Amino acid sequence: NMVSPSDVPRRRNGFSPPYSSPQISSWLFLLLTAVEFGLVITPILPFVISLPVSLFFLLCLLTVIYFGLRALGIDSMDIHLRKTLAEQRRDDDDDDKNNNTIIIKDEGPTLNYCYQVFNGNIESIQNESIPEADMETKQCWICDTQVANHSMHCKYCNKCVCQFDHHCLWLNTCIGKKNYQDFFRVMLAVFFMQLVHLGVSCAVVVDIFWHGPTEDRADHWMDLASNASIPISAVILFFMAFDVCSLILLAQLIAFHVHLHKKRISTYQYIVQDAQKRREKAKL
């Protein structure tokens, strides 16, 4: 049976369920990379190197978390749709004065609070002024309301998004005008974090291979194991392989978005233009 767009749950942001496999895997690998760096690599580095490298890695990690949370938490919904839903929600909750923090659905106190932190409550949304660029509107037949001309409907989140760029599977949220810069900063922060991780890992593995002082520190890892240099090297090599793959993908993605920025078009517009070019070529 075909699923109607109106039957798809409208998602608020990247914290809204259902969560995607790429999203969960990205959180997991971020956590594992941080744990591996802190428990495996840092203890076998000399202190004079370990301290500055660890601080820089921690700075990159905190930057990823900060901008990642912003990209996940900010609701990129079209402002006209936001106001319409806020008005409907306020009318529905006139008898419940404590339920004024959400405009789509109740997802529990924790997620409701997170949504309010990044997007404000119903009162702030209703008082939000409409930018001049959003004044001209069109009808979205799925949302059943007027939205800005530049807004597009996301089939994954079932909502119109202001200056829609794309739906990011890794963040599991729509990327639009409000969170695009945070999305781009997350990519840069992850890139530099993985680059630092790969560089330090390479130096450690090479020194172990050439029987340098790192090998002795690895053999007596945290004074808990003996002859641990081989399993430690295997763990580091595994994460290095992941670093190489992710850095290649991130470099391509960053270069692609820099290219889009220079052409002043969105990912969605690029896809539409590319499809049009392919159709024109097929006619020849």
Side-chain angles (χ1 to χ4, degrees):
N1 294 332
M2 293 289 291
V3 178
S4 171
S6 59
D7 294 333
V8 177
R10 180 176 277 142
R11 300 179 67 253
R12 301 192 299 191
N13 51 27
F15 293 116
S16 298
Y19 304 112
S20 67
S21 298
Q23 181 185 26
I24 295 172
S25 63
S26 64
W27 292 349
L28 183 61
F29 271 104
L30 180 65
L31 174 63
L32 290 177
T33 300
V35 170
E36 184 263 353
F37 190 88
L39 295 183
V40 178
I41 294 181
T42 299
I44 61 177
L45 291 173
F47 181 76
V48 291
I49 298 176
S50 174
L51 183 61
V53 167
S54 298
L55 288 176
F56 185 74
F57 181 85
L58 179 62
L59 177 63
C60 291
L61 178 63
L62 292 176
T63 304
V64 171
I65 294 173
Y66 174 75
F67 288 116
L69 289 176
R70 282 184 54 85
L72 283 166
I74 292 175
D75 187 355
S76 53
M77 182 187 294
D78 173 87
I79 187 171
H80 298 280
L81 179 58
R82 276 164 59 88
K83 285 181 171 291
T84 299
L85 293 174
E87 185 67 30
Q88 293 173 356
R89 190 74 187 195
R90 192 191 67 170
D91 293 342
D92 291 342
D93 296 334
D94 277 341
D95 297 329
D96 184 1
K97 301 304 181 183
N98 295 321
N99 191 18
N100 69 337
T101 63
I102 53 178
I103 66 171
I104 293 182
K105 60 181 179 179
D106 192 337
E107 294 179 341
T110 302
L111 292 182
N112 289 345
Y113 175 76
C114 290
Y115 185 85
Q116 184 179 5
V117 167
F118 290 106
N119 302 283
N121 56 21
I122 286 179
E123 183 178 354
S124 66
I125 292 171
Q126 288 178 320
N127 295 331
E128 188 178 0
S129 60
I130 300 177
E132 186 176 347
D134 298 341
M135 290 294 186
E136 295 185 8
T137 61
K138 62 184 179 182
Q139 178 73 15
C140 175
W141 301 106
I142 302 175
C143 294
D144 194 24
T145 189
Q146 293 285 308
V147 297
N149 276 343
H150 54 67
S151 294
M152 296 298 299
H153 192 89
C154 174
K155 65 179 180 180
Y156 298 102
C157 294
N158 192 20
K159 64 183 180 183
C160 283
V161 176
C162 179
Q163 294 186 18
F164 177 75
D165 188 83
H166 69 287
H167 180 91
C168 178
L169 294 176
W170 301 102
L171 295 174
N172 196 23
T173 192
C174 296
I175 305 300
K177 177 183 178 180
K178 290 189 173 182
N179 60 352
Y180 181 85
Q181 289 189 350
D182 293 310
F183 160 75
F184 189 78
R185 288 164 181 163
V186 167
M187 288 194 299
L188 289 177
V190 173
F191 180 84
F192 284 111
M193 186 186 77
Q194 297 296 100
L195 193 63
V196 170
H197 187 275
L198 179 62
V200 176
S201 298
C202 284
V204 167
V205 170
V206 168
D207 198 52
I208 291 176
F209 179 78
W210 290 106
H211 306 294
T214 305
E215 183 182 28
D216 183 61
R217 288 191 293 268
D219 277 334
H220 301 87
W221 175 71
M222 297 180 67
D223 295 326
L224 298 176
S226 59
N227 300 319
S229 59
I230 293 178
I232 282 180
S233 298
V235 171
I236 294 175
L237 287 171
F238 171 80
F239 279 91
M240 285 175 62
F242 173 73
D243 288 339
V244 171
C245 295
S246 60
L247 283 170
I248 291 173
L249 294 174
L250 281 167
Q252 292 176 337
L253 193 58
I254 291 170
F256 174 69
H257 280 275
V258 170
H259 173 70
L260 294 180
H261 180 73
K262 289 181 179 179
K263 296 188 71 174
R264 298 184 181 278
I265 60 174
S266 65
T267 302
Y268 177 79
Q269 290 170 328
Y270 174 85
I271 293 173
V272 171
Q273 291 178 9
D274 186 64
Q276 185 176 358
K277 290 177 182 178
R278 290 175 183 271
R279 286 195 298 269
E280 291 174 354
K281 280 186 178 181
K283 291 179 181 179
L284 299 178

